[in-house]
Amino acid sequence: MKRYLFIIAGLLFLVGCSTKEENEKYAYLEYKNDLESQDVYDEEDSLDFDTYFNIIRNKDDNEKVDYSIVIDKPEINMYNVKALLVHDYMNEDAFPSVGIFDDPVTLRKDSADKIKLNGTINTTADTGNINFKLYLEYTEDNGEENKIYYEVKRG
């Protein structure tokens, strides 16, 4: 009898894990599709934080382009932060994110807290016409939830 209970408990654990992974994957795809379909984006001067974008050809592998965005210097406390950075270059890889497949993070006002999202594009082509978009979701001190859709400015 104990053996059957052990087997049933193990199966329930496995089902629970796969359901969590499926939910995370579904949330990631929902954020990605929502961001890619946006027509209106938040203006840079309306953001409650700073962003720094960088894109550079990889020194060690000329067929790769590394890109990153840093989110820091929040003007308000930002809790349960989820972020996703996408681009419009054809890509099979997952886009860099935080708070979707892992625990959400916190950015506190007047602190050195920051988020850095890093990615790589496999290409030897010119990357000057690739567009990058950032989705950021967070909760303020008063419980208000914010969703930011930001088209990354380059150059």
Side-chain angles (χ1 to χ4, degrees), residues 1 8 13-14 25 35 38 48 55 57 79 81 88 96 100-101 113-114 126 129-130 134 139 143 153:
M1 182 70 169
I8 291 172
F13 177 75
L14 289 175
K25 184 177 179 180
L35 180 56
Q38 282 297 313
D48 291 325
I55 184 166
R57 183 136 329 257
Y79 304 100
V81 178
D88 60 1
I100 300 171
F101 295 108
D113 297 345
K114 65 181 173 183
D126 177 37
N129 60 349
I130 299 175
L134 174 67
T139 304
K153 308 294 187 243

Side-chain angles (χ1 to χ4, degrees), residues 1-16:
M1 182 70 169
K2 289 182 181 179
R3 184 174 20 183
Y4 291 121
L5 288 175
F6 181 72
I7 291 171
I8 291 172
L11 289 173
L12 289 174
F13 177 75
L14 289 175
V15 169

Side-chain angles (χ1 to χ4, degrees), residues 44-95:
E44 188 169 8
D45 60 357
S46 71
L47 302 179
D48 291 325
F49 50 87
D50 289 344
T51 60
Y52 303 95
F53 181 75
N54 187 39
I55 184 166
I56 189 166
R57 183 136 329 257
N58 187 300
K59 293 181 235 174
D60 300 326
D61 186 347
N62 199 36
E63 294 183 5
K64 293 184 178 184
V65 174
D66 298 323
Y67 63 92
S68 66
I69 193 164
V70 175
I71 303 160
D72 68 355
K73 298 180 184 170
E75 297 171 8
I76 59 170
N77 290 323
M78 300 167 65
Y79 304 100
N80 298 316
V81 178
K82 297 176 185 175
L84 175 65
L85 180 63
V86 303
H87 56 75
D88 60 1
Y89 188 81
M90 185 60 99
N91 188 13
E92 296 289 324
D93 298 328
F95 293 109

